[in-house]
Amino acid sequence: MKPLDLFALDRLASAEDLAIRDTVRSFVSDRIRPEIADWFEAGQFPVRELARELGRLGVLGMHLEGYGCAGTSATGYGLACLELEAGDSGLRSLVSVQGSLAMYALYAFGSEEHKQHWLPALAAGEAIGCFGLTEPDCGSDPAGMRTVAKRDGTDWVLSGTKMWITNGSVADVAIVWARSDEGIRGFVVPTDTPGFSAPTIARKLSLRASVTSELVLDDVRLPADAVLPGAAGLSGPLSCLNEARFGIVFGALGAARDSLECAIGYAQDREIFAKPLAAFQLTQAKFADMTLELGKGVLLALHLGRLKDEGCLTADQVSLGKLNSVREALAIVRECRTILGAAGITGEYPIMRHSANLESVLTYEGTSEVHQLVIGRAVTGHSAFR
Ligand SMILES: Cc1cc2nc3c(=O)[nH]c(=O)nc-3n(C[C@H](O)[C@H](O)[C@H](O)COP(=O)(O)OP(=O)(O)OC[C@H]3O[C@@H](n4cnc5c(N)ncnc54)[C@H](O)[C@@H]3O)c2cc1C
């Protein structure tokens, strides 16, 4: 029996959502698992090829309707994220940034022309998108952004620097958030626009199978219609982050599940003091506690998925899920690593890779501290952000 089987979770998802889960699980098994350790070690992976394959799989912007998107339930999207991240958090990040950040921003706030032009290509993986909100001097507090958009006649001219941008140097289109006379606005920036460059950030020890870049905007001139007409102020980018966080609520638990299954398998085979490591009480206590936390995490994720499908999921509730899933997933993968002993630190097993990846997942899309502050504000009525 696998740990999650104990919870009979399949009863909580529709047949369609379970079919999505199984399809993505097979893709990860056949296409990602045989290669991922090498991609991670090399810090390189075939991102364009994978984007097209993920497009054919139907997972890019899968919960959006029309424009070549699959129009699945939110729960189906969450389960897909869980399976992708059981392969690697980098793979799930590619899908999250494409679908929940770049595509969602266009879908929710773009003009009909923006949607027609970009969404079908992004859904098919023929084009890659990125989302530039964070800057070198402001991450958790995006209101402090320094990137500016100034009017010049009817054109817009963007200048500034964005930092830690997933998919940045491989993107065809960047959604860039900038300060203007009209407040914070979002811009659709084709990455071949003069003045735009995206140097890749090197020497990452986490999410090595994911592209992370700086975005440099050196007087990037854009036509009047480059602005996203439906987004004014920070609520625009924050609602996109909320979409991506929802995927992480499920996704991080995939990395935990993969690590736990690996550790259980290892402990069955490893003989210590003349019996299997899995037969010791101390080891079983670890497995019992991890199974419980994993199952509780998935139950919460499925509940949030249902709320989202009913159209009543709040941002505070997403914070509950993001904080819980990533924090518990990290605790689980670290405990799993102890079960493998020295073998656990190598790339022969997925656990250390998941552990390194989850350090990024803990930080992006709102750090754990930021989500604690959100939940703290909800239950006390006091904002402690400043
Ligand atoms: C691999 C990776 C990919 C990323 N991809 C993207 C992307 O595609 N697009 C994008 O825009 N951004 C992206 N990010 C950036 C990410 O969203 C930010 O790193 C994150 O928001 C945190 O910002 P920061 O790193 O500047 O940390 P800071 O905001 O400087 O935070 C530093 C520490 O201070 C804590 N802190 C912050 N505020 C408070 C407070 N009020 N009280 C107490 N403690 C506080 C934080 O929790 C953290 O522990 C990515 C990051 C990584 C690592």
Side-chain angles (χ1 to χ4, degrees), residues 3 8 21 32-33 75 93-94 99 122 128 137-138 157 161-162 167 173 213 216 226 251 311 316 330 333 335 351:
R21 176 199 68 184
I32 306 300
R33 285 190 194 283
T75 304
S93 299
L94 169 61
L122 289 163
I128 294 180
D137 294 327
C138 79
V157 179
T161 307
K162 297 289 176 183
N167 297 348
V173 61
S213 318
V216 180
D316 291 352
L330 249 179
V333 300
E335 188 84 299
I351 297 175

Side-chain angles (χ1 to χ4, degrees), residues 178-222:
R179 178 178 300 291
S180 77
D181 286 346
E182 306 166 6
I184 290 170
R185 301 299 307 261
F187 295 86
V188 182
V189 184
T191 55
D192 58 3
T193 310
F196 180 97
S197 58
T200 301
I201 296 172
R203 295 188 158 183
K204 277 187 307 166
L205 300 178
S206 171
L207 283 188
R208 289 183 57 74
S210 172
V211 176
T212 315
S213 318
E214 216 178 315
L215 303 185
V216 180
L217 301 133
D218 185 6
D219 286 341
V220 171
R221 182 172 288 274
L222 299 167

Side-chain angles (χ1 to χ4, degrees), residues 229-244:
L234 263 187
S235 59
L238 293 184
S239 68
C240 301
L241 293 181
N242 225 28
E243 290 292 304

